[in-house]
Amino acid sequence: MKRRSIIKRTIIASVLMLVLAGQCFAGIVPFSDINGIAGKDKIISLQEQGIVKGNGSGLFAPNAPVTAAQGIQLLVNAFDLNIDNIRFIKEPKASDYFKNAKDSAWYADAFIIISFSGLELPADLDPNAKWTREEFTHYLVKLMEDRGNLPMINLKLVDISDGGQLDVLYSGSIQRALLYKLTELDADGGFRPKEAVTRADAAVQVYQALEYLKAHPAPQVQ
């Protein structure tokens, strides 16, 4: 496989695009638009770890919606996903796995990597579509459980006031996300599943997921 071209595109994407992407560099400029945002310290921590970034001008845009492309890049960064140990007969392309993906786009490498993560994503996924809260939380929980080799749990179902709006595919993941304390219900006991997930919301959930895995490490294989 021509890994050099993938690495090159990754570097270019990190420099040029405004995404929820990581980048290791000296002299990180703290975000100037997250004062008063719930989870500010968590967002700063992710920035320091290179998991999230802003637009290069000190802005994080915490209330902006997360697109599918941005969400996938964030998940790849958060769990340090890669395809380093996979050998390919020919160089993989994003469009091999997602028909609407552009092979020259900044997200192309993340799309290739996520396709080997075991996460089930629709082949007709629109990179520019806004991800809903239920979509992002579902995918985060699935990756978190897989990467952390978390055991199956007996759920005591939480009463969600707008639970009837949940897609049946996502309902179990949302219940487990509440148990893991990745997120919480609003003052009315609702999850607001169909709302677009914001950058701040997504970042806080990722932080909570990583903290949970630190506190509950996978058992060592003897």
Side-chain angles (χ1 to χ4, degrees):
M1 181 191 74
K2 298 179 180 178
R3 286 198 181 93
R4 291 184 179 178
S5 63
I6 289 183
I7 295 173
K8 182 178 179 181
R9 290 204 305 269
T10 301
I11 295 174
I12 293 173
S14 298
V15 174
L16 297 180
M17 303 306 300
L18 169 60
V19 295
L20 286 172
Q23 182 185 32
C24 295
F25 58 96
I28 294 175
V29 178
F31 298 128
S32 62
D33 59 348
I34 59 175
N35 291 326
I37 295 294
K40 171 185 174 181
D41 292 343
K42 297 178 176 62
I43 296 171
I44 292 174
S45 176
L46 292 184
Q47 181 192 22
E48 292 172 346
Q49 295 175 63
I51 294 174
V52 301
K53 66 185 293 287
N55 63 1
S57 300
L59 299 177
F60 179 65
N63 297 316
V66 174
T67 64
Q70 292 172 342
I72 287 172
Q73 182 70 69
L74 175 57
L75 294 176
V76 168
N77 293 342
F79 295 101
D80 195 23
L81 304 180
N82 62 73
I83 53 174
D84 294 347
N85 295 322
I86 300 176
R87 295 184 60 122
F88 296 91
I89 296 176
K90 69 179 185 68
E91 180 180 357
K93 296 181 179 180
S95 59
D96 293 338
Y97 311 101
F98 301 98
K99 65 181 184 180
N100 294 321
K102 296 183 182 300
D103 296 322
S104 60
W106 60 267
Y107 56 74
D109 292 339
F111 274 41
I112 294 170
I113 292 170
I114 203 73
S115 67
F116 289 92
S117 69
L119 194 64
E120 295 183 3
L121 290 159
D124 61 351
L125 178 144
D126 179 357
N128 299 312
K130 296 175 183 177
W131 259 2
T132 62
R133 285 170 50 79
E134 64 178 356
E135 285 177 304
F136 179 80
T137 302
H138 169 72
Y139 294 131
L140 173 60
V141 166
K142 298 298 285 186
L143 267 181
M144 169 189 170
E145 292 175 336
D146 179 69
R147 298 293 118 175
N149 194 24
L150 298 182
M152 294 188 66
I153 54 178
N154 293 319
L155 278 176
K156 181 179 180 180
L157 296 181
V158 177
D159 184 19
I160 303 175
S161 63
D162 54 1
Q165 299 177 25
L166 284 169
D167 188 308
V168 65
L169 178 65
Y170 306 137
S171 59
S173 298
I174 304 307
Q175 287 283 344
R176 298 199 298 280
L178 293 169
L179 177 67
Y180 298 140
K181 299 189 184 303
L182 307 190
T183 186
E184 58 186 21
L185 302 179
D186 60 25
D188 297 319
F191 183 72
R192 310 188 311 279
K194 304 305 181 185
E195 284 187 12
V197 65
T198 66
R199 288 167 61 89
D201 187 4
V204 169
Q205 287 196 47
V206 163
Y207 177 90
Q208 295 294 97
L210 297 179
E211 288 298 300
Y212 187 92
L213 292 180
K214 287 179 185 177
H216 302 81
Q220 297 295 318
V221 178
Q222 299 298 323

